Amino acid sequence: MISSSRPGAAAILSDLPVRLAGLPLEAMLARSLSRHPGLLARLGWSEPRTVLVEPRDLPFAILIRCSREGAALRTVRKAGSGVAADADARIRGALPDLLALVGGGDDGDAQFFARRLAFDGDTEIVLA
């Protein structure tokens, strides 16, 4: 039997500069919004909201700012970045769990109650 020593997504992304690691995430966000043009309007927010997504197994976090008009994403270093204080809500979890949540392959409630995901801040934003 031949074993594969290919690194996982977390290992690959950890070695990239923060800005470069965010490029595929920005592309995914843009593609999702183009496929679902009414998504942001359905959130019903009158003011922009910011969500910080912190993969536990990566050295960076993902800051997403959403409004009815659009969404922007940027990757930031976790240590000393101070962005957590600027976020309305924060979601933490391992990268595979976060990807399963985004891809619809797992139930966020089940992940939360199994303690695979943690939320703080405005939970209404997280649920939306």
Side-chain angles (χ1 to χ4, degrees), residues 35-107:
R35 287 183 180 169
H36 307 283
L39 178 69
L40 295 172
R42 286 194 311 253
L43 294 175
W45 300 335
S46 58
E47 297 293 323
R49 301 286 192 253
T50 303
V51 178
L52 182 66
V53 180
E54 291 183 333
R56 289 186 179 122
D57 39 1
L58 293 177
F60 61 85
I62 303 142
L63 193 64
I64 305 169
R65 184 158 175 85
C66 298
S67 70
R68 290 181 186 202
E69 291 76 37
L73 176 151
R74 70 181 169 110
T75 48
V76 294
R77 287 265 171 227
K78 284 185 194 175
S81 64
V83 294
D86 297 334
D88 297 303
R90 184 168 56 165
I91 305 170
R92 291 181 314 282
L95 183 62
D97 292 329
L98 292 167
L99 291 174
L101 182 66
V102 171
D106 209 344
D107 178 13

Side-chain angles (χ1 to χ4, degrees), residues 20-34:
L20 187 60
L23 293 177
L25 300 171
E26 290 173 16
M28 286 173 46
L29 177 63
R31 187 172 51 245
S32 293
L33 292 176
S34 70

